[in-house]
């Protein structure tokens, strides 16, 4: 054997050992799914065997949060690992394809941009919602592959996709009916249901990356079970006993997502990469109960609230062989921790002027650290002047400034449904938490773009 070959073998072994420590990442995000709408949180009328298996293979977080109670800001936090109000992403942005500022600011690095430094190949499949201007297109924001739609929601039936793209929009919500995009190309699809189409694209991407022997990050952002409530007979027929038509359709939509998760997991197993892949599942905000008939269980409130029903979501993670199976983790964690975890594992340096708010969860999930990952978690609704801070079992919340009981103090551990306001009995604790929140608030920016509904951008096209 020549010296030449030995160098190759040594390089190969080194690569293998590095690869073994740096997993693929799949983030499966649902839209407006309620805390109680997964089997692993106790759902009784919608079986979710594949999501339950994912949680059983690793950890389910009882107190898993997102950083905002509606879609856009929550996703901006998830994708940057930072509280989105640090960069003014305080509301759902306008869908205006002519506005380069309505989306993730260019000054922020998102998860795909950061992972590119560790030679990951990243895909976003599904809902983007991080800006419709070309400069904010996923392929201009670090992603190698995009399959889906740019706006904040979509019709589930491809037969409705009558508009070529956003430039043909003439009124609100018409963006739900644009043709899908594959990278920069408008495409037509044969299948008749969007959730299945997105699952196909996800498994196709995984197969391609396995063949190319490439590390990957897949952000599978299903728009289900966000309104409009639309499902196929195949899934509706699974729920003959749900009398409420809205709940029945919602159940069918969740069931289709669960089948999709099953197909994604099956493709990992088929390709023998399940042990090399972290899979995280969560919803982008709490259930929008009145809109989609979702169920937040005992949690107070719904989507758009800073009560638990708006910000606490179904949340689970598996990494077979590394995260011990069957865990129930009850210290608070937040969607921002996904970025904290993967960047630590990939050994990527984070810019000093943009520190992450998320942390690496691995030491906490492998028993190396028994402390809570976060001393305090924070939320702000800038337009409504709402605030929220969670500190251990205690939470101070003001859902909007207009709310009569401005600043309510709850013990979440004893009073999950936030029914007993303890502020009057604990004025010092309330003051202390408000002070902590204000110190955090001082670091934030005001809104930097028009909101979703305030701006009739199509009249300018
Ligand atoms: Ca949402």
């Amino acid at each position: 054997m020549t010296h030449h070959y030995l160098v190759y073998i040594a390089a190969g072994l080194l690569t293998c050992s590095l690869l073994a420590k740096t997993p693929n990442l799949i983030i499966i995000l649902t839209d407006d799914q309620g805390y109680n709408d997964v089997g692993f949180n106790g759902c009784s009328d919608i079986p979710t065997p594949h999501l339950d298996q994912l949680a059983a293979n690793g950890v389910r977080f009882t107190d898993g949060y997102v950083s905002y109670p509606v879609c856009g800001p929550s996703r901006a936090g998830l994708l940057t690992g930072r509280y989105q109000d640090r960069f003014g992403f305080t509301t759902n942005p306008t869908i205006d394809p002519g506005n380069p500022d309505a989306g993730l600011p260019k000054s922020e690095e998102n998860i795909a941009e950061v992972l590119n430094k560790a030679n990951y190949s990243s895909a976003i499949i599904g809902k983007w919602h991080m800006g419709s201007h070309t400069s904010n297109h996923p392929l201009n924001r670090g992603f190698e592959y995009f399959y889906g739609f740019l706006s904040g929601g979509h019709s589930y039936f491809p037969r409705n996709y009558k508009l070529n793209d956003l430039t043909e929009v003439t009124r609100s919500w018409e963006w739900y009916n644009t043709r899908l995009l594959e990278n920069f190309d408008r495409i037509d699809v044969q299948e008749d249901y969007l959730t299945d189409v997105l699952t196909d694209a996800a498994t196709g991407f995984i197969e391609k990356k396995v063949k190319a022997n490439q590390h990957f990050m897949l952000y599978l952002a299903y728009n289900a079970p966000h309104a409009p409530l639309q499902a196929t007979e195949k899934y509706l027929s699974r729920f003959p006993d749900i009398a409420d038509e809205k709940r029945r359709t919602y159940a069918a939509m969740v069931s289709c997502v669960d089948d999709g998760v099953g197909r994604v997991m099956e493709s990992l197993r088929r390709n023998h990469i399940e042990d090399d892949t972290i899979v995280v599942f969560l919803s982008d905000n709490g259930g929008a109960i009145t809109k989609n008939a979702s169920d937040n269980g005992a949690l107070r409130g719904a989507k758009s609230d800073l009560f638990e029903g708006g910000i606490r979501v179904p949340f689970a993670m598996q990494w077979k062989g590394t995260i011990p199976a069957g865990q129930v983790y009850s210290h608070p964690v937040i969607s921002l921790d996904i970025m904290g975890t993967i960047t630590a594992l990939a050994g990527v340096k984070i810019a000093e002027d943009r520190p992450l708010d998320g942390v690496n969860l691995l030491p906490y999930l492998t028993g190396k650290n028994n402390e809570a990952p976060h001393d305090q978690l924070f939320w702000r609704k800038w337009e409504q002047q709402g605030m929220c801070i969670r500190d251990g079992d205690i939470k101070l919340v003001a859902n909007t400034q207009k709310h009569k009981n401005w600043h309510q103090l709850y013990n979440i551990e004893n009073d999950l449904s936030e029914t007993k306001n303890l502020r009057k009995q604990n004025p010092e604790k309330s003051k202390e938490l408000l002070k902590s929140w204000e110190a955090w608030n001082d670091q934030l920016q005001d809104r930097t773009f028009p909101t979703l509904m305030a701006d009739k951008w199509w009249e300018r096209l």
Side-chain angles (χ1 to χ4, degrees):
M1 193 180 289
T2 65
H3 179 71
H4 194 68
Y5 278 111
L6 284 173
V7 170
Y8 272 120
I9 290 167
L13 287 173
L14 183 65
T15 310
C16 285
S17 69
L18 284 175
L19 287 179
K21 287 196 181 80
T22 312
N24 305 311
L25 173 65
I26 300 179
I27 303 168
I28 302 172
L29 188 72
T30 51
D31 200 339
D32 292 9
Q33 186 171 3
Y35 183 83
N36 220 38
D37 291 324
V38 286
F40 66 79
N41 280 350
C43 183
S44 57
D45 60 346
I46 313 171
T48 55
H50 299 106
L51 289 169
D52 299 351
Q53 187 62 52
L54 193 162
N57 288 343
V59 54
R60 93 175 160 91
F61 300 103
T62 60
D63 294 40
Y65 289 98
V66 288
S67 58
Y68 198 88
V70 307
C71 311
S74 169
R75 286 152 197 262
L78 186 154
L79 290 173
T80 58
R82 283 158 52 77
Y83 287 115
Q84 62 284 343
D85 282 37
R86 292 194 187 282
F87 46 90
F89 206 122
T90 66
T91 184
N92 277 328
T94 171
I95 306 299
D96 182 2
N99 187 342
D101 298 323
L104 273 184
K106 314 298 187 287
S107 55
E108 294 295 317
E109 277 192 316
N110 71 44
I111 193 166
E113 290 164 330
V114 168
L115 287 178
N116 279 341
K117 295 175 195 172
N119 297 316
Y120 276 72
S121 164
S122 295
I124 151 83
I125 290 170
K127 165 168 158 176
W128 175 236
H129 210 189
M130 293 292 103
S132 306
H133 188 266
T134 308
S135 63
N136 269 324
H137 186 284
L139 266 56
N140 289 325
R141 295 310 306 266
F143 288 88
E144 182 191 287
Y145 184 65
F146 170 49
Y147 188 107
F149 50 95
L150 295 168
S151 66
H154 225 66
S155 165
Y156 291 87
F157 298 127
R159 59 178 175 270
N160 294 342
Y161 303 164
K162 306 282 190 212
L163 304 189
N164 279 311
D165 60 34
L166 292 169
T167 63
E168 294 180 7
V169 166
T170 59
R171 56 188 159 82
S172 299
W173 307 114
E174 268 186 348
W175 47 79
Y176 275 46
N177 299 323
T178 55
R179 287 163 76 194
L180 297 182
L181 285 166
E182 183 174 28
N183 298 326
F184 289 104
D185 301 324
R186 298 188 293 249
I187 50 163
D188 293 313
V189 286
Q190 302 309 315
E191 246 180 312
D192 72 343
Y193 195 60
L194 181 56
T195 300
D196 292 325
V197 171
L198 299 180
T199 301
D200 289 346
T203 54
F205 176 76
I206 292 167
E207 299 287 343
K208 214 185 288 174
K209 292 299 111 179
V210 168
K211 280 203 186 97
N213 200 20
Q214 262 180 312
H215 263 186
F216 66 85
M217 190 280 285
L218 166 59
Y219 171 45
L220 175 53
Y222 286 115
N223 57 314
H226 191 290
L229 289 173
Q230 295 172 335
T232 55
E233 200 46 48
K234 173 183 171 187
Y235 289 97
L236 287 167
S237 66
R238 289 184 180 179
F239 301 96
D241 297 331
I242 300 181
D244 179 72
E245 199 51 40
K246 271 175 88 172
R247 179 72 181 172
R248 182 169 171 243
T249 310
Y250 175 84
M253 294 166 80
V254 170
S255 193
C256 185
V257 166
D258 188 70
D259 274 8
V261 171
R263 286 173 54 204
V264 167
M265 301 311 291
E266 207 277 314
S267 91
L268 298 184
R269 283 191 295 276
R270 190 171 57 240
N271 289 296
H272 311 290
I273 56 167
E274 197 176 16
D275 289 2
D276 309 322
T277 306
I278 296 180
V279 187
V280 190
F281 165 79
L282 72 167
S283 175
D284 70 335
N285 50 252
I289 298 172
T290 53
K291 291 226 170 85
N292 66 358
S294 51
D295 178 11
N296 293 322
L299 307 184
R300 177 175 175 179
K303 175 179 181 177
S304 91
D305 287 329
L306 294 177
F307 298 115
E308 298 292 289
I311 53 179
R312 195 194 288 211
V313 295
F315 201 149
M317 181 189 291
Q318 79 162 60
W319 186 9
K320 275 192 158 179
T322 303
I323 296 176
Q327 283 192 74
V328 179
Y329 193 81
S330 58
H331 284 303
V333 301
I334 190 161
S335 52
L336 315 178
D337 296 332
I338 296 169
M339 179 80 154
T341 302
I342 195 64
T343 52
L345 292 169
V348 196
K349 207 171 167 332
I350 301 296
E352 276 171 24
D353 58 341
R354 290 188 304 266
L356 300 185
D357 293 302
V359 302
N360 177 11
L361 291 177
L362 252 293
Y364 301 94
L365 303 178
T366 52
K368 291 198 180 90
N369 189 335
N370 294 317
E371 307 283 306
H374 300 275
D375 293 334
Q376 296 177 319
L377 293 174
F378 305 92
W379 294 263
R380 178 180 83 160
K381 291 200 295 183
W382 180 80
E383 286 165 321
Q384 298 85 356
Q385 300 183 38
M387 65 77 64
C388 181
I389 174 172
R390 178 160 174 184
D391 180 325
D393 293 343
I394 307 298
K395 169 177 173 177
L396 186 74
V397 57
N399 198 33
T400 72
Q401 199 179 33
K402 287 175 200 120
H403 198 283
K404 279 180 191 159
N405 302 313
W406 170 239
H407 293 137
Q408 301 158 42
L409 191 77
Y410 296 107
N411 183 317
I412 292 298
E413 187 62 23
N414 302 336
D415 178 23
L416 180 62
S417 303
E418 299 171 86
T419 59
K420 298 179 203 76
N421 183 3
L422 306 172
R423 183 171 60 94
K424 283 194 180 136
Q425 296 98 298
N426 300 275
E428 289 309 314
K429 186 70 182 172
S430 302
K431 220 181 280 174
E432 175 203 319
L433 291 183
L434 186 58
K435 217 172 141 196
S436 294
W437 183 86
E438 279 168 350
W440 172 75
N441 184 47
D442 285 345
Q443 304 166 27
L444 309 180
Q445 282 185 34
D446 293 351
R447 196 182 66 204
T448 52
F449 46 66
T451 66
L452 182 63
M453 298 312 293
D455 179 34
K456 292 193 169 18
W457 47 269
W458 47 92
E459 292 174 359
R460 295 195 296 270
L461 288 176

